[in-house]
Amino acid sequence: LAAQIVGSRTGLDAARAIYDWVADNIRYVAVYQSLDDGMVSHSAPDVLHTGYGDCKDYVVLMQALLAARGIDAVPASVEWGTSYADPISWAPLFTNHRIIYLPAYHHFANPTDRHAGFDSLDPRLSGKLAVLATPEGQVLRTPKSTPAANLYRMQSTLTLSADGAIDGVGTYEMSPNVKAYARAIVSGASS
């Protein structure tokens, strides 16, 4: 499957293709029947067979597909949210999400986020402690948010008619992080 997904691409281009495939073809569904279910990943073949999983399952599948193409990847536990303070002491419940880390490229990716591309991270994942699941354990930080990663430009043309009706067009140009955040907001809108 990995060879079929990446074709002749290698390196980050191959990783990007695998990320896109996982994000597009696996549905986010979390089924917990016990506390342990929330902590333990399903196997990559199980995730492929069912076509769904939670963040841990996305990472396990992506890690397996990357390994099939010779790309090392490590699960990273993070806190996905608005808490930016480092914990005083570490415990598994200080994290609520798993993403993937590609050590050769010092690159974090979040395949669970259907709105973000391989090259962007939700701002709520910026500058966070990431606990890597390596044999010796390692703690890194996800990339900090920068102005260049969070830019947008809006241009609009509006016409106000005599009867008070407004007609117009608005266009937006966005950096990848802003685009992911905007897509998440729009996808959750009721109209």
Side-chain angles (χ1 to χ4, degrees):
L1 177 59
Q4 178 184 340
I5 293 168
V6 304
S8 62
R9 291 173 279 208
T10 60
L12 276 178
D13 289 335
R16 188 175 287 107
I18 289 170
Y19 173 96
D20 289 343
W21 189 92
V22 170
D24 289 344
N25 289 282
I26 303 300
R27 297 287 173 235
Y28 187 91
V29 177
V31 178
Y32 303 138
Q33 296 178 354
S34 73
L35 181 60
D36 290 342
D37 287 344
M39 305 299 271
V40 179
S41 306
H42 294 94
S43 70
D46 285 349
V47 177
L48 273 176
H49 174 73
T50 61
Y52 66 81
D54 65 8
C55 58
K56 300 175 305 302
D57 302 323
Y58 276 72
V59 168
V60 163
L61 177 57
M62 188 168 170
Q63 186 179 21
L65 292 169
L66 289 167
R69 303 314 301 157
I71 301 171
D72 186 34
V74 179
S77 294
V78 297
E79 191 278 329
W80 190 6
T82 58
S83 173
Y84 290 90
D86 292 344
I88 294 170
S89 63
W90 197 262
L93 296 178
F94 286 120
T95 66
N96 63 2
H97 189 57
R98 196 153 311 150
I99 60 177
I100 199 160
Y101 176 67
L102 285 66
Y105 305 101
H106 190 59
H107 186 86
F108 288 94
N110 183 14
T112 309
D113 189 350
R114 301 184 85 69
H115 306 291
F118 180 76
D119 296 311
S120 66
L121 280 176
D122 183 300
R124 296 169 296 164
L125 288 171
S126 296
K128 298 288 183 92
L129 284 178
V131 179
L132 304 184
T134 62
E136 63 283 347
Q138 185 178 2
V139 177
L140 294 177
R141 282 204 185 272
T142 59
K144 288 185 177 183
S145 188
T146 64
N150 293 288
L151 293 175
Y152 77 93
R153 178 188 329 208
M154 182 194 127
Q155 183 175 353
S156 61
T157 305
L158 301 174
T159 304
L160 176 61
S161 63
D163 66 358
I166 298 174
D167 186 31
V169 174
T171 59
Y172 293 85
E173 294 176 44
M174 302 176 194
S175 62
N177 287 359
V178 175
K179 188 181 293 184
Y181 191 67
R183 284 182 176 165
I185 290 170
V186 170
S187 73
S190 61
S191 67

